[in-house]
Amino acid sequence: NPANICSGNRVAGCSHFGIWYRMHKHPEAGSYTTEVCQQHEPLGECKDNIVHSIGDVGLWIFEKFTPYENTNGESCATEVIAPARFENFQAYRTNKAVEFFTVGAIQLHNSIVAENTKAGVEWKRLVGVSWDSESSGAMMKNVSIIARCSEN
C-alpha cells in the first residue's frame, strides 16, 4: 500500500527489485476491500533509501499510480491530485535505478543514481498531469544521474 512508510532502508543483492510498489485497483487476499483504491492512495513516505547491486529495478512502481488526496479515508472518491514525493533515494549498480510505469504526479527529489546498466530514471507513461509542476505534476528536482564512475 503506498500509504505505508518506507524509509531508511538498505537493499542489496536481490535478483529483481529493490523497492517495489505493485499497485492493484484494490488490496488483495485477506486485506481485500473495495473501499481502498491503492492506485489513488496518497504516498505515505518513501525517503532515505539506498539500493545497490539489484538484478533489475531499484525503485519500481508498477503498474499504475495516480495519487490523490485521501478525503475522510476515501481514496476512491476524489480526484484531487496529491503529488507523491520520493526523496533522498540512492541507487547504484542496478539494471535500472528507477522506473515509474503508468503514473500521475510522481516526483523524485534530492536523489543520486549511478552506474546503472540500462537507465537511470524512467517515466514510462505520464497520465493526467503536466511535467515539472511541484504542486500538481510530475518532476525530478536535484537529481544526479551518473553514467559511469572511474575505476580508480
Side-chain angles (χ1 to χ4, degrees), residues 25-149:
K25 187 172 183 180
H26 302 290
E28 297 181 304
S31 299
Y32 181 79
T33 176
T34 58
E35 301 296 316
V36 175
C37 293
Q38 289 177 295
Q39 295 175 344
H40 304 303
E41 281 286 309
L43 183 67
E45 180 179 277
C46 188
K47 67 179 185 178
D48 303 323
N49 294 300
I50 299 173
V51 175
H52 71 88
S53 305
I54 300 296
D56 202 5
V57 183
L59 172 59
W60 194 39
I61 295 178
F62 184 82
E63 172 171 6
K64 182 179 181 183
F65 184 34
T66 54
Y68 299 141
E69 287 183 8
N70 190 332
T71 308
N72 299 321
E74 296 184 18
S75 59
C76 304
T78 183
E79 291 190 6
V80 178
I81 295 169
R85 289 177 59 122
F86 292 84
E87 300 181 70
N88 304 319
F89 179 72
Q90 296 178 39
Y92 58 96
R93 295 189 176 154
T94 67
N95 193 28
K96 295 179 181 180
V98 177
E99 183 179 77
F100 300 137
F101 206 77
T102 300
V103 296
I106 304 300
Q107 302 180 358
L108 185 63
H109 291 263
N110 306 316
S111 298
I112 300 171
V113 300
E115 290 197 5
N116 300 288
T117 309
K118 288 190 178 177
V121 180
E122 288 186 335
W123 271 259
K124 292 288 192 181
R125 190 173 308 122
L126 191 61
V127 293
V129 297
S130 63
W131 179 256
D132 207 26
S133 170
E134 196 158 0
S135 64
S136 63
M139 72 178 316
M140 267 191 333
K141 186 174 184 179
N142 298 321
V143 175
S144 297
I145 301 173
I146 303 163
R148 190 73 62 203
C149 295

